[in-house]
Amino acid sequence: CDVSAPAPKLGFPSDPSGRSVQALTAQHGTSSEGNPVSTGHQSLKPAAIDREKGLAMEHAVTQISGMTCTGCERKLQHVLSSIPGVRNVQTSLVLGRAEFDVDAGVSVNEVASLLERQTEFRCIVRQEGHQLEVLIPGLQPVPSLRLGTRAMAFEQDSAPPLDGLAGPRYPAGVEDVKIIDSKGREWKSRDANHGLLHRLGVEMSVSKPHKYSARISYNPRVVGARDLLERGFGPPLSLAPLSSDHATAIETEHLRKTLYMTLLSALLTIPVLIMAWAPLPPYKIAYGSSSLALATLVQVVIAGPFYPKALRALLISGMIEMDLLVVISTTTAYIYSVVAFVFETRGSPLSTGEFFETSTLLVTLIMCGRLASAYARRKAADSISFQTLQPSKALLYEDGKERLIDIREFQYDDLFKVLPDSVVPTDGSVVSGETEIDESMITGEAVPVPKFPGSQITAGSINRSASVVARLTKLPMDNTISRIASMVDEAKLSKPRIQDTADRVASYVVPCVLLLSVVVFLIWIAVGLAVRDTSASDAVVTAITYALAALIVSCPCAIGLAVPMVMVIAGGVGAKHGVIFQVTKSNRRCQTCRPRNL
């Protein structure tokens, strides 16, 4: 990942004009708006220079899945900051995102792999630049006769488009191709081995024809999107369905998984509660055996993922986080109940008996809390989704005819038509026609602005009076709406002072709770022995129950989640009303603003 090195040769012939792709890339290294063209690298932005140290750096953005509380975010920051060559770390629990700069020579993918190993989080490096996600059709089966039986066989002469997408030579302007499955796993197409290609071909042809897709990174100054889809790889390719942005998709997947685990935990816990609290016939051994089996399932299947996270955070990162409280409290309750059940079977029950309902109900309540937290973060992510501000389809105007296309198929120098009372799909310059356009979403001015040939129109604004034909000046990924979304996202990663205070308080809660539980345990042992004059075993049993109660009721998650969720939702609502917060200080100052009568 030496970003200072020259661009590698792509290994395919020149374009029809006779100029090489390298020459074209050099010529169009900067767009007409001054924006650098994506180099197909793994990070978001091209190399920058650290003025203090004189080092070439690259900015990387990753999506993080699996964070549940502020302790997870602190662990993420700690691990990233400890990796050599990683600087300027910024994280967001609500957005599930981490941004950082890496020195030249440091691989972003290696940083992501190390992060996954040390934190148990899923880390996906976001690809910037211009990309197309296309469906990969499979081989067409044809009927054949084998040993008197009619069967389906694949055509041997028809090679699937995967062969072209897998390289080793790509069309001019294509920088990278990745194969993606339905679970979001990626393979570099040039690194995909023959066995993978064969398996992809068989699976796509038989059971799930569109289980796999390909993400094509390309330079729009060299090759247009429609040209690439229609004849770039031989047979025409079709775009994959337009999905929500990556952050929202990851939050949705995490929410769905948390919901399933919570329902399973509840289904396993309810029978334990019934056997513990309902007035049933006295079959203690049978009820205890059933409760032991169900509690073991809850402890292994539902609470099992807490153990590696807590141990990794403690041993590798040196941090005491919320998962450790969950592990200590549930494990103590479970082990004590197992010991009490063993004494019950031997005819010498303990004074309190077993309480499997405590460990199972505790895990279920914790999962309910995490489900509510995941749902709140999902709603917060929805509040800053800008996809609804621009249409997904547009009218392409070529050769005097109109046809409806996906806005992802736009390419430079396209002409598009904007009908009355419709949203402008992307930034452009009016070629023919006159109209009035409502730009209040951008400028806040409610009076429509007259437009005539030569006038600029902005993505997201509304055409009011008449149809106009405009020439595209910015692709949808680079237009005004996309820039607004980027500005809002940058503001969400900066933390206000009050959030730093809340995070600092939350970081002290877990160690204090552990210390408090030990104090409670010792106090109740002393009370049992000195005041109540009970036996040592009874005093220890009573002290364990009170210490568990102190562990269970203490959770700092709400403290750390309150401020960032408010900031994210406030920024999203403000953006939809035309107010953009570039820094969190501006957001805080709004609380002192008062309306004035003009």
Side-chain angles (χ1 to χ4, degrees), residues 122 124 180-186 208 211-212 253:
R122 181 186 175 192
I124 300 176
I180 307 169
D181 65 7
S182 58
K183 295 183 179 180
R185 294 175 296 187
E186 297 181 353
K208 299 179 180 179
K211 177 181 177 180
Y212 294 88
E253 179 185 355

Side-chain angles (χ1 to χ4, degrees), residues 394-398 401-402 410 414-439 449-458 461-472:
L395 280 175
L396 180 67
Y397 189 83
E398 57 181 358
K401 298 179 181 180
E402 307 167 7
F410 269 140
D414 274 346
L415 296 178
F416 61 92
K417 188 173 185 179
V418 186
L419 300 176
D421 297 320
S422 62
V423 180
V424 178
T426 190
D427 297 352
S429 176
V430 177
V431 175
S432 63
E434 296 183 0
T435 186
E436 292 182 338
I437 290 184
D438 181 1
E439 297 181 344
V449 180
K451 299 293 181 180
F452 42 84
S455 300
Q456 300 295 318
I457 57 177
T458 307
S461 57
I462 302 175
N463 182 23
R464 290 302 185 190
S465 56
S467 299
V468 292
V469 176
R471 185 178 302 277
L472 180 144

Side-chain angles (χ1 to χ4, degrees), residues 98-435:
E99 295 192 14
F100 50 89
D101 295 329
V102 293
D103 293 343
V106 178
S107 170
V108 178
N109 283 340
E110 290 180 1
V111 172
S113 299
L114 181 62
L115 186 64
E116 289 183 343
R117 290 195 300 269
Q118 293 193 6
T119 63
E120 295 285 330
F121 300 148
R122 181 186 175 192
C123 181
I124 300 176
V125 180
R126 287 182 54 177
Q127 299 286 337
E128 278 298 309
H130 294 270
Q131 298 174 348
L132 292 174
E133 188 166 343
V134 299
L135 299 175
I136 304 178
L139 294 173
Q140 295 297 324
V142 295
S144 64
L145 291 175
R146 294 182 181 176
L147 299 178
T149 303
R150 190 173 183 84
M152 302 303 291
F154 299 118
E155 292 182 354
Q156 299 296 326
D157 297 333
S158 61
L162 182 62
D163 290 343
L165 292 171
R169 294 155 60 91
Y170 293 145
V174 175
E175 299 165 342
D176 191 23
V177 177
K178 288 188 176 181
I179 307 299
I180 307 169
D181 65 7
S182 58
K183 295 183 179 180
R185 294 175 296 187
E186 297 181 353
W187 293 275
K188 274 187 173 292
S189 61
R190 282 176 172 167
D191 298 336
N193 56 35
H194 179 73
L196 172 63
L197 298 182
H198 176 72
R199 179 167 61 86
L200 293 179
V202 172
E203 290 186 5
M204 289 184 296
S205 303
V206 181
S207 58
K208 299 179 180 179
H210 294 313
K211 177 181 177 180
Y212 294 88
S213 60
R215 182 174 295 150
I216 306 171
S217 300
Y218 70 103
N219 187 342
R221 295 287 180 177
V222 178
V223 60
R226 289 195 311 280
D227 296 337
L228 199 59
L229 291 173
E230 293 172 0
R231 51 186 176 272
F233 294 92
L237 299 175
S238 57
L239 286 171
L242 185 64
S243 59
S244 58
D245 62 79
H246 209 54
T248 305
I250 289 179
E251 285 298 332
T252 302
E253 179 185 355
H254 177 65
L255 176 61
R256 186 183 298 111
K257 181 179 179 180
T258 306
L259 175 61
Y260 292 156
M261 297 296 285
T262 304
L263 292 177
L264 177 60
S265 181
L267 290 176
L268 295 174
T269 300
I270 290 174
V272 179
L273 298 180
I274 293 175
M275 289 184 286
W277 296 342
L280 300 175
Y283 299 107
K284 291 187 177 181
I285 303 300
Y287 296 153
S289 301
S290 301
S291 298
L292 174 61
L294 294 173
T296 302
L297 288 176
V298 172
Q299 201 69 25
V300 173
V301 177
I302 309 299
F306 297 156
Y307 287 84
K309 292 182 180 179
L311 294 177
R312 284 178 181 271
L314 182 62
L315 300 178
I316 298 179
S317 304
M319 298 180 61
I320 301 176
E321 59 178 19
M322 187 60 200
D323 284 338
L324 187 61
L325 289 183
V326 176
V327 167
I328 293 176
S329 57
T330 58
T331 304
T332 304
Y334 174 76
I335 293 177
Y336 174 82
S337 298
V338 171
V339 173
F341 177 70
V342 172
F343 277 92
E344 182 78 30
T345 57
R346 293 184 175 183
S348 55
L350 299 179
S351 57
T352 58
E354 84 278 352
F355 40 84
F356 288 110
E357 72 278 4
T358 299
S359 62
T360 55
L361 184 59
L362 175 59
V363 173
T364 301
L365 292 177
I366 290 172
M367 293 304 300
C368 289
R370 297 198 169 187
L371 178 63
S373 175
Y375 178 76
R377 293 201 307 272
R378 174 68 173 81
K379 297 297 290 183
D382 282 343
S383 70
I384 56 171
S385 177
F386 287 84
Q387 287 189 351
T388 57
L389 299 182
Q390 59 182 346
S392 60
K393 303 287 184 179
L395 280 175
L396 180 67
Y397 189 83
E398 57 181 358
D399 299 329
K401 298 179 181 180
E402 307 167 7
R403 64 184 178 100
L404 193 64
I405 65 169
D406 192 299
I407 63 170
R408 292 174 290 175
E409 298 181 40
F410 269 140
Q411 51 194 42
Y412 286 111
D413 293 329
D414 274 346
L415 296 178
F416 61 92
K417 188 173 185 179
V418 186
L419 300 176
D421 297 320
S422 62
V423 180
V424 178
T426 190
D427 297 352
S429 176
V430 177
V431 175
S432 63
E434 296 183 0
T435 186

